[in-house]
Amino acid sequence: MYEAFDLKGKTALVTGCKRGIGKAMAEGLAEAGADIIGVSASLELENSKVEQSVKKIGRDFKAYQCDFSKRESLHSFLSAVNKDHQSIDILVNNAGTILRKPAAEHPDEYWDEVIEVNLNAQFIISREIGKGMIERGSGKIVFIASLLTFQGGITVPGYAASKGAIGQLTMALSNEWASQGVNVNAIAPGYVATDNTQALRDDAERSEAILSRIPQGRWGTAEDFKGVAVFLSSDASNYMNGSIVTVDGGWMGR
């Protein structure tokens, strides 16, 4: 059974891998045998913490920088990565951003940036990397959705809209590509102790309210996502298409 989870000989592109969930998933994929291509807006091109971790595991790591809010930067990155790598077997669309302000005060700039990074860039990356997967007849694409794929949230209308759309995009691409050997699925994290949730964790009232609703009784950690990332990137999930897997300590069950 272990062979179904073996990623030796595979190359995985992980966006937003500098820290948090993205870094942990890159490390988990490397532990399962994959070589890693890492990209984020501020990722060091040499000797980053994630590169050190991946190389310590014994896998290759190649770093890129890309500002996902700028279309020109995105296309330059895609051109470079497709030129440098013959094939990409796994794509983990983790890069994202969140900007908080009540809806009535939410400026155009907040909305545009969040939608560009969280939705537009992810579609374009998936389209361009997905072309090669379709040609080869195999590939794994993993989006990072959210509890706000299912719920509206508070003071984050752009983020909620983008993550709702990611759920639909996961299913839309799956409907077209499943028959061509490409599995497209998503992970929906619950409340995880990362930079994105620092404001919530610093708010004692909100933090207590959140924890009281999580059956497992704790915030998630980045390491909680290693296993599910490997599963959705491996042969073990070959009959999964268009699924959104919640990793939330039981939040959605409640």
Side-chain angles (χ1 to χ4, degrees):
M1 189 64 230
Y2 288 120
E3 292 180 3
F5 295 88
D6 189 357
L7 300 180
K8 289 185 181 68
K10 304 291 186 181
T11 297
L13 168 57
V14 183
T15 73
C17 69
K18 183 175 181 177
R19 57 184 176 268
I21 292 173
K23 178 175 180 288
M25 291 190 295
E27 291 167 348
L29 295 172
E31 287 167 355
D35 293 323
I36 306 298
I37 302 166
V39 58
S40 64
S42 59
L43 180 64
E44 300 88 346
L45 295 180
E46 291 185 1
N47 207 35
S48 65
K49 289 183 179 179
V50 63
E51 178 176 355
Q52 292 176 34
S53 296
V54 168
K55 288 188 172 179
K56 186 175 181 180
I57 293 166
R59 308 313 309 170
D60 291 338
F61 184 91
K62 174 66 175 177
Y64 295 85
Q65 287 184 349
C66 178
D67 183 345
F68 296 102
S69 70
K70 294 181 171 55
R71 199 69 61 89
E72 182 179 353
S73 177
L74 177 60
H75 283 291
S76 294
F77 159 67
L78 286 167
S79 177
V81 79
N82 279 322
K83 180 181 178 181
D84 294 344
H85 301 276
Q86 185 175 2
S87 65
I88 294 171
D89 306 289
I90 300 159
L91 169 61
V92 180
N93 280 309
N94 173 71
T97 190
I98 188 168
L99 295 171
R100 300 177 184 276
K101 195 169 278 289
E105 304 164 19
H106 209 78
D108 291 356
E109 302 81 53
Y110 276 28
W111 177 274
D112 290 344
E113 181 176 344
V114 170
I115 295 298
E116 189 66 30
V117 173
N118 291 8
L119 179 59
N120 296 344
Q122 298 204 26
F123 168 69
I124 292 168
I125 293 170
S126 300
R127 181 189 67 201
E128 296 306 305
I129 301 301
K131 289 176 183 178
M133 294 178 174
I134 292 168
E135 289 175 2
R136 294 189 301 274
S138 66
K140 301 280 185 173
I141 297 177
V142 181
F143 286 100
I144 303 304
S146 168
L147 293 183
L148 299 196
T149 301
F150 313 102
Q151 302 172 335
I154 300 171
T155 73
V156 288
Y159 184 83
S162 70
K163 291 301 183 177
I166 285 297
Q168 295 301 116
L169 182 59
T170 298
M171 292 183 280
L173 296 184
S174 174
N175 288 344
E176 293 191 37
W177 296 352
S179 64
Q180 301 183 69
V182 181
N183 299 87
V184 185
N185 295 289
I187 300 168
Y191 286 91
V192 184
T194 65
D195 293 349
N196 275 0
T197 60
Q198 189 65 55
L200 293 177
R201 289 182 287 125
D202 289 344
D203 184 328
E205 186 175 342
R206 288 291 306 281
S207 181
E208 182 180 354
I210 288 166
L211 282 173
S212 70
R213 216 188 124 166
I214 300 173
Q216 199 163 344
R218 68 170 175 86
W219 289 79
T221 69
E223 285 69 30
D224 289 324
F225 295 85
K226 286 185 173 183
V228 67
V230 170
F231 170 58
L232 291 178
S233 300
S234 71
D235 288 347
S237 61
N238 278 352
Y239 200 57
M240 287 186 68
N241 300 278
S243 295
I244 304 172
V245 182
T246 55
V247 182
D248 61 358
W251 177 284
M252 288 300 296
R254 181 165 180 177

